[in-house]
Amino acid sequence: MTERKRTPWVVGVSGASGTPYAAAVLRGLLAAGESVDLVVSRASRLTLLDETGIAFRDAHWRDDLGEWLQRGADGKPGTFARPALDDVRYWGAGDLAAGPSSGSYPAKGMLIVPASTACVAGVALGLSKDLLQRVASVTLKERRRLVVAVRETPLNGQTLKALVALDEAGAVVLPASPAFYAGATHIQDLVDFVAGRVLDAAGVPHRLYRRWEGELGGSRTPRGANGGD
């Protein structure tokens, strides 16, 4: 039997507020049976520590990632079951010789969740100052799918120009903007909506949010009714 070739999605986590978005995307990818290569920027470690209390360590990344993915958007531990991490690879942000830094490394594409304005500017300019930006540049040059979930408000002119440049380069610019038609009743629902839209842009199946079906008031129907989720 031929062994399945591993072709992961690279998930980059930048220093913007919104680490619950990244966690939800990672859970969604793993639930869909996708392979994941993870890059956590240095700045995002501070955000993760502030938003969750988790100190993400290179030497203990598997334990720290497992704890992170078990937390809900409200920071409560044990909200989710610990997912299997057998098909997750972690690359240090300073490792510019990492596999995904080369276009010859097989990958489906890259999801930057959340994307800070500094990250957006760096990728738009092709700076490659760390592994996250380098992988994004590789993704664009190889014409693979790049989804940039920018998380900032308001946006100034320089950032808007950078986002237009990314769009013109072929990236999907996806602001972390939750919608309310899906019947959100908890902060996790809003986070899952954004994560679901990221996965939609990547073509990864999921059941993270209720899709619009053209029926007004549908968001008030309890999930599970009428054969729904």
Side-chain angles (χ1 to χ4, degrees):
M1 181 179 294
T2 303
E3 183 178 352
R4 179 178 67 91
K5 182 178 180 181
R6 184 179 186 275
T7 309
W9 283 99
V10 182
V11 176
V13 186
S14 81
S17 176
T19 56
Y21 292 129
V25 166
L26 287 165
R27 285 192 298 265
L29 288 171
L30 295 175
E34 297 286 345
S35 302
V36 173
D37 278 21
L38 178 64
V39 181
V40 178
S41 76
R42 290 188 175 92
S44 69
R45 294 172 189 237
L46 297 176
T47 308
L48 184 62
L49 180 63
D50 184 54
E51 294 183 345
T52 69
I54 296 173
F56 198 91
R57 304 160 294 175
D58 283 346
H60 303 280
W61 70 267
R62 192 175 296 274
D63 290 337
D64 296 337
L65 177 60
E67 182 183 353
W68 178 22
L69 297 187
Q70 287 179 285
R71 298 203 176 204
D74 57 3
K76 183 179 178 180
T79 300
F80 297 96
R82 181 187 176 102
L85 302 177
D86 298 337
D87 208 6
V88 178
R89 289 182 183 173
Y90 170 74
W91 305 93
D95 185 4
L96 292 177
S101 69
S102 171
S104 66
Y105 183 85
K108 292 183 177 178
M110 184 180 192
L111 315 175
I112 305 179
V113 189
S116 66
T117 54
C119 173
V120 166
V123 175
L125 292 173
L127 296 182
S128 296
K129 74 178 184 65
D130 61 7
L131 182 60
L132 193 157
Q133 291 186 12
R134 171 59 186 168
V135 177
S137 294
V138 167
T139 302
L140 288 175
K141 80 180 183 69
E142 296 296 325
R143 301 297 190 264
R144 297 169 182 161
R145 181 58 57 95
L146 174 64
V147 181
V148 181
V150 60
R151 215 305 308 160
E152 185 59 273
T153 191
L155 297 172
N156 63 26
Q158 288 141 329
T159 299
L160 290 170
K161 290 176 182 177
L163 291 172
V164 169
L166 289 178
D167 176 77
E168 292 175 343
V172 176
V173 176
L174 195 153
S177 301
F180 294 85
Y181 63 76
T185 59
H186 189 274
I187 185 175
Q188 188 66 54
D189 298 324
L190 299 176
V191 168
D192 284 347
F193 179 88
V194 172
R197 295 299 288 150
V198 171
L199 295 177
D200 286 344
V204 176
H206 66 86
R207 296 167 66 88
L208 286 176
Y209 69 89
R210 185 200 306 271
R211 297 185 182 278
W212 175 252
E213 296 180 347
E215 181 182 350
L216 293 178
S219 65
R220 293 189 292 275
T221 303
R223 300 190 77 177
N226 302 322
D229 294 346

